[in-house]
Amino acid sequence: MKKIIRNTNFYIRFLFITGIILVLVGNVFVILSFQKETLDNKYKIDKVTTYSSVNKNLAQGEMYVTKDIKYISEGVYKVTYKTHVNRKDTESLLSEKSTFNITDILGDSYELIADKITINDLPVSISQSSNNTDSLKVTYYNNTVDIMIPSSSMNDSYVIETYIKLKSRETSKKHITTKEAYYSFTPSIQNDKYYKKTRQSYVINGSAYIVLSKK
């Protein structure tokens, strides 16, 4: 009987001690998860925001672009643009020999990582010229990203992934990712969704920011 009691007491103490250890380990993980990321071993990232887009139902002939902004690490954001189209055929969407443009004027605190651009999972290099309307291309000038899709190639399946990096280290400031973003195009004369048949632009929603402090 005494042996049973001793064994019971041992197991109770063992479970009690094990429980305390698990609580302590859990607290350590919680504390570590709330530690703020540092940049250059000098600055703390006090706050990071992101942006997730919302899809909408499209009328026939309608086109639009969504943008999602996801924070990665070390001041880097992944920015994903997606085209959305409701069409019968590509010829009825855009004016012939024109382009569908996605333009994003980055915030002054950021720069594009030029060697990490993909379109539909295929790597794309920065183009030096935007004059040719027959090929899909990405240009980057004056901190402005411009993605050009030829009218003959326009569809609803383009996913463009880019990465931008925080270059500023100014503290106590909202380093906003985007000054202005929009998509622009000239609709086909056959596209009844758009009554104006000249070049027109529409805002792309989505922005995020980082706030830094001294370490």
Side-chain angles (χ1 to χ4, degrees), residues 150-181:
S151 58
S152 58
S153 301
M154 187 62 185
N155 58 45
D156 59 353
S157 60
Y158 284 111
V159 178
I160 302 103
E161 294 180 350
T162 66
Y163 290 82
I164 61 175
K165 185 172 185 177
L166 182 69
K167 60 182 180 179
S168 174
R169 294 297 184 262
E170 187 175 347
T171 58
S172 303
K173 170 187 175 180
K174 288 183 179 180
H175 294 285
I176 299 174
T177 57
T178 299
K179 285 183 177 180
E180 182 182 5

Side-chain angles (χ1 to χ4, degrees), residues 29-64:
F29 279 119
V30 169
I31 291 170
L32 288 175
S33 68
F34 281 98
Q35 280 187 337
K36 292 175 179 174
E37 185 183 357
T38 61
L39 295 178
D40 309 330
N41 205 29
K42 295 179 181 179
Y43 303 92
K44 290 187 297 185
I45 296 182
D46 279 344
K47 186 172 183 180
V48 169
T49 65
T50 60
Y51 182 85
S52 297
S53 61
V54 177
N55 291 338
K56 65 176 182 178
N57 293 324
L58 298 181
Q60 186 172 306
E62 188 174 4
M63 301 165 279
Y64 86 112

Side-chain angles (χ1 to χ4, degrees), residues 3-14:
K3 185 176 180 181
I4 294 174
I5 293 173
R6 282 199 299 271
N7 288 339
T8 301
N9 290 337
F10 169 79
Y11 285 121
I12 291 173
R13 287 197 298 272
F14 174 78

Side-chain angles (χ1 to χ4, degrees), residues 54-89:
V54 177
N55 291 338
K56 65 176 182 178
N57 293 324
L58 298 181
Q60 186 172 306
E62 188 174 4
M63 301 165 279
Y64 86 112
V65 176
T66 56
K67 180 170 69 168
D68 294 277
I69 308 171
K70 179 183 178 181
Y71 184 72
I72 305 301
S73 65
E74 299 181 351
V76 173
Y77 276 106
K78 177 182 178 181
V79 183
T80 303
Y81 311 91
K82 295 179 182 178
T83 62
H84 304 264
V85 175
N86 183 355
R87 55 165 172 73
K88 286 184 177 178
D89 52 72

